Amino acid sequence: MVFQKLRTNRRNQWIIIHLRYLVGFAFFPSGLTKLLGNRFTVLSTDTPIGAFFEAMYQTGFYWNFLGLCQIAAGILLMSQRFALLGALMFLAILSNIWIITISLSFTGTWIITSLMMIAVIILLIWDHHKLMPVLSYNRTVTIPSYPEPGRIWINAGMMYTICLMGLSVPGPVEKGLEQWVVRTLLILVVFTFLISNYKMYKKLNLHVKNQV
């Protein structure tokens, strides 16, 4: 009953939608770096952390594959419609990263990965009812129906994906055309955020007026 109230609360729905955007974007910079075959760090191989990342980089295709999986998980989360699949992929990848940051004593990084773990667990709890048929073997299960993100958020997710992928491309930003492209993408991100939230605000106000 408590979960049902939390799940149907519009403010909570808004938080979860934007948490998906945030968590999804978290994998874009590192994922693109790996996918394009670039090194993730410039630390000396004399350190355990530097040696670990250099060994991962030298695997070649596996390094690219990791990047591809990270980007795929991020895009699925951004899509809203396939967010559960994205969260499951994210959990599988992040669990390894989280343990690595703890075992190699990354300075401060383990705090970030721990917060990301909490975020993805929250996303899985939010959609746990969709996993009930898989977890309930040989039993009849009634799946509760909850509101799903509207077309506004799906379109916003597509726009965020395009813009944030462009902004996550590794390498310095040269003056001239590249600088203007970056500025344009940033403006589009802000514009998408404002428009999507304004449209939803108007929709909620109209819904409240109709009820009154």
Side-chain angles (χ1 to χ4, degrees), residues 55-162:
M56 292 279 284
Y57 172 74
Q58 292 298 335
T59 59
F61 174 71
Y62 179 67
W63 183 250
N64 304 132
F65 176 73
L66 284 176
L68 179 63
C69 289
Q70 285 182 300
I71 292 171
I75 292 174
L76 289 170
L77 275 170
M78 286 279 190
S79 73
Q80 300 296 329
R81 183 170 293 176
F82 305 104
L84 176 58
L85 179 57
L88 289 170
M89 285 185 63
F90 203 98
L91 180 66
I93 300 167
L94 185 61
S95 297
N96 287 277
I97 297 173
W98 182 54
I99 295 300
I100 289 168
T101 56
I102 293 174
S103 61
L104 290 179
S105 303
F106 279 61
T107 305
T109 309
W110 69 271
I111 298 175
I112 298 172
T113 55
S114 296
L115 291 173
M116 290 171 69
M117 279 292 292
I118 292 170
V120 76
I121 288 170
I122 290 172
L123 293 178
L124 287 172
I125 292 173
W126 182 261
D127 282 330
H128 81 278
H129 61 284
K130 296 179 181 178
L131 297 172
M132 288 170 61
V134 179
L135 301 175
S136 303
Y137 174 74
N138 204 24
R139 283 192 298 163
T140 303
V141 179
T142 302
I143 305 174
S145 178
Y146 296 114
E148 292 294 331
R151 193 70 203 174
I152 294 172
W153 303 121
I154 294 172
N155 291 339
M158 291 171 61
M159 182 59 72
Y160 286 140
T161 298
I162 295 169

